[in-house]
Amino acid sequence: MKKTVFSPEDFKKFEDNRNVMMELFGITCSVCGIDEIGYVAENAPKTIGQIAQEAIDENPEISDDELDDMMTGPIEAWQEVDDYNASIGMPTFACDNCYQQLIDGEINISDAMEIED
Ligand SMILES: [Zn+2]
């Protein structure tokens, strides 16, 4: 069953400290592909930037290697959510513009994603 109707409850604000995820994975809007993410799916985990920031706040001496190790689990969690969302036609990442159009029912993500495949 593909998701075709979207409401503001399906999304939350995307807050990724220092754009870590953008730099690590080059994430883009799941709908149009631009690299200005405003919102993420409601089921998305805490952002890598937030997790990294918390780790640094807790231990300012933390090394890059230690940080890398800590990110493995969260990165897999994001991958799983993104795979799952793709399977149900739910965009994981949305720019402000696409978010608004999804809420307004002006674009149909299922069609867009099938073309991509
Ligand atoms: Zn977009």
Side-chain angles (χ1 to χ4, degrees), residues 4 11 16 19-21 23 28 34 39 44 61 63 70 84 86-87 89 92 95 102 108:
T4 52
F11 295 93
D16 188 32
N19 288 324
V20 174
M21 294 184 64
E23 279 181 25
T28 56
I34 71 164
Y39 294 85
E61 313 277 284
S63 71
M70 285 185 63
Y84 170 73
S87 75
T92 302
C95 66
L102 286 164
N108 188 322

Side-chain angles (χ1 to χ4, degrees), residues 4 19 23 41 54 77 88 100-101 103-105 108 113 116:
T4 52
N19 288 324
E23 279 181 25
E54 285 172 11
I88 60 166
Q100 200 55 53
Q101 291 191 58
I103 301 299
D104 294 345
N108 188 322
M113 285 170 117
E116 232 176 69

Side-chain angles (χ1 to χ4, degrees), residues 29 31-34 94-95 97-98:
C29 173
V31 185
C32 73
I34 71 164
C95 66
N97 191 27
C98 289

Side-chain angles (χ1 to χ4, degrees), residues 38-96:
Y39 294 85
V40 284
E42 204 281 319
N43 65 348
K46 198 181 275 192
T47 63
I48 306 297
Q50 281 178 311
I51 296 169
Q53 189 58 52
E54 285 172 11
I56 293 164
D57 287 347
E58 241 171 65
N59 176 11
E61 313 277 284
I62 195 164
S63 71
D64 285 350
D65 282 350
E66 282 174 307
L67 261 183
D68 280 354
D69 282 350
M70 285 185 63
M71 295 309 138
T72 310
I75 287 167
E76 281 170 8
W78 272 95
Q79 193 59 55
E80 273 172 33
V81 165
D82 196 31
D83 287 349
Y84 170 73
N85 286 346
S87 75
I88 60 166
M90 173 74 202
T92 302
F93 304 102
C95 66
D96 289 343

